[in-house]
Amino acid sequence: TLADQAAVAIERTTLVSDIETARVATERERLRSALLSSLSHDLRTPLVSIMGAASSLITYDEALSPDNRHELAQTIQDEAERLNRFVQNLLDMTRLGSGTLKPRIDWADLGDIVGGAVERAARLTRSHTVKVEIDPEIPLLCVDAVLLGQVFFNLLDNACKYSGPGTAIKVWAKKAHDHISVEVADQGPGIPEADREKVFDMFYRVSQTDSQAAGTGLGLAICRGIVEAHGGSIRAESGLHGAGTAIVIRLPLPAVAQVAPEPEGA
Ligand code: ADP
């Protein structure tokens, strides 16, 4: 009868919504535990810097020159600020339902952003040579420098983690008429073609990657979130000389139009 059919339909709808509720709950739980493991992984490095600098300040106290003392205090401040922003953005990104980052846009120089990230990465590893080539034609960008710095840091961190000691890492940036592309390339094992899109998903790790390298599978997902929040795109390709990995970022250049020089006599 019609009533029976209606009852079955209602039952199905209830079942579907129960499954949906369970799925959302599982997803929330997954995000919560991923956030916790990401925090312990990604926060350790700056925390170690802060603890090291604070300990030097206390241990060497009087023996430190004013310059040394200032440098250590500056390290503590810089790393604490990065931690603060990073946690904030991570929380923003994982906020259920929104999944959006809100970049704090300002004028920034790409060379400074990349340079800062290279410096931070160099504190983690001394066994790679990092070469940076930035097209001098690239104008000031309208971006969130802290977030983009985090992107380059994550990419350099991966390049160091997944490629052998002593190998080269190259960062180069080029300008096209309406966008810039920045590439971070290494000479490691590369990412198999079938995984090149999936590595940007949360929690995805390539199965045969050296298990020595600690990771949560969140680094590239955060990179993608940040790049897309800037209207850009990110993809994985083959790296240096057809081997290794290259992560290529493309950022639009609306900034160029805004800084076009005033017409003469205006
Ligand atoms: P994590 O490094 O924490 O595992 P990511 O999201 O940064 O997470 O990277 C996801 C996966 O992509 C890594 O587990 C690794 O398998 C692969 N990967 C990322 N960068 C590289 C690289 N430069 N070379 C080889 N594999 C990489």
Side-chain angles (χ1 to χ4, degrees):
T1 66
L2 218 56
D4 285 343
Q5 280 174 19
V8 168
I10 288 169
E11 209 165 287
R12 270 203 200 123
T13 316
T14 317
L15 185 65
V16 167
S17 78
D18 281 354
I19 292 172
E20 183 58 17
T21 310
R23 195 191 61 75
V24 170
T26 317
E27 180 68 7
R28 196 179 296 138
E29 185 50 39
R30 215 161 65 103
L31 280 174
R32 203 182 68 87
S33 62
L35 178 62
L36 286 179
S37 48
S38 166
L39 288 180
S40 51
H41 168 62
D42 289 319
L43 303 189
R44 201 163 44 219
T45 315
L47 271 181
V48 166
S49 298
I50 291 173
M51 285 158 66
S55 152
S56 299
L57 277 172
I58 292 166
T59 311
Y60 301 111
D61 194 21
E62 309 262 279
L64 291 169
S65 71
D67 277 358
N68 286 339
R69 195 168 296 157
H70 181 80
E71 199 182 311
L72 290 166
Q74 189 70 53
T75 300
I76 294 175
Q77 193 186 40
D78 290 353
E79 296 296 324
E81 168 62 18
R82 281 196 184 103
L83 283 180
N84 189 26
R85 291 289 301 268
F86 183 54
V87 172
Q88 189 53 50
N89 284 305
L90 206 53
L91 289 170
D92 279 354
M93 187 173 159
T94 48
R95 214 165 31 201
L96 269 178
S98 77
T100 49
L101 281 175
K102 289 191 183 60
R104 294 181 204 174
I105 303 292
D106 204 347
W107 295 108
D109 179 73
L110 183 69
D112 290 346
I113 300 175
V114 170
V118 169
E119 217 170 88
R120 279 176 72 203
R123 279 185 224 145
L124 303 184
T125 168
R126 284 178 175 75
S127 59
H128 290 84
T129 47
V130 183
K131 208 171 151 200
V132 180
E133 259 175 49
I134 309 252
D135 183 347
E137 297 282 297
I138 294 178
L140 284 181
L141 304 175
C142 266
V143 292
D144 185 319
V146 175
L147 287 183
L148 268 197
Q150 188 63 41
V151 169
F152 294 121
F153 175 77
N154 284 355
L155 298 183
L156 288 163
D157 186 29
N158 278 350
C160 294
K161 258 184 352 194
Y162 298 114
S163 66
T167 59
I169 297 171
K170 192 168 170 190
V171 186
W172 56 278
K174 272 187 321 187
K175 181 184 174 297
H177 82 283
D178 64 347
H179 68 273
I180 59 159
S181 23
V182 195
E183 186 170 323
V184 178
D186 64 51
Q187 295 178 302
I191 299 175
E193 218 159 328
D195 295 306
R196 286 189 192 161
E197 285 196 19
K198 290 185 237 157
V199 287
F200 295 99
D201 291 345
M202 279 200 170
F203 322 116
Y204 192 86
R205 306 195 74 208
V206 178
S207 52
Q208 66 265 48
T209 303
D210 183 1
S211 56
Q212 296 289 98
T216 53
L218 276 178
L220 289 179
I222 290 169
C223 290
R224 182 171 65 182
I226 293 172
V227 169
E228 288 181 352
H230 284 84
S233 63
I234 184 167
R235 63 179 195 277
E237 290 184 356
S238 287
L240 294 174
H241 315 299
T245 301
I247 305 291
V248 186
I249 293 171
R250 204 179 140 123
L251 290 171
L253 269 182
V256 175
Q258 288 171 29
V259 290
E262 297 265 303
E264 204 118 354

